[in-house]
Amino acid sequence: MINPMTFNPVQLQTVKPAESNGLSTSSPSDITKTFGDFLQKALDGVSAQEQNVHTMNDQYMLGNVDVSQVMVASQQAELSLQLTSQIRDKVIEAYQEIMRMQI
């Protein structure tokens, strides 16, 4: 039987401040890789929630879980997807703003 409270939320990571002298030991490629890894983990979490909903639906059809558990899992996945879409829209908006800047 599936644990109905299995929930893998997107984990927020704390931002580490730069060194006190103003210079960071991280190169731009390291920062880009770290940010890319963070985004990949977040997208994997959303995907896992979607898979959880499909599994819960299958278990509901077999009579192993209650409809309320399926609805909770479905709402969690839906909220995660909405958040991901909003973040994507903000990233695109920021990129477009940067491209409009005069150099």
Side-chain angles (χ1 to χ4, degrees), residues 7-71:
F7 178 61
N8 187 10
V10 176
Q11 298 294 322
L12 297 178
Q13 298 176 350
T14 58
V15 177
K16 297 177 184 174
E19 293 178 354
S20 59
N21 63 4
L23 299 175
S24 176
T25 59
S26 299
S27 68
S29 64
D30 291 339
I31 293 171
T32 302
K33 182 180 177 193
T34 303
F35 182 68
D37 290 342
F38 173 76
L39 287 178
Q40 186 62 45
K41 287 178 187 176
L43 291 174
D44 289 344
V46 171
S47 178
Q49 285 182 338
E50 183 181 358
Q51 279 300 107
N52 185 38
V53 170
H54 291 297
T55 303
M56 293 290 277
N57 282 334
D58 294 343
Q59 292 297 315
Y60 173 71
M61 294 293 195
L62 295 173
N64 295 336
V65 295
D66 188 29
V67 69
S68 63
Q69 295 168 334
V70 176
M71 295 303 294

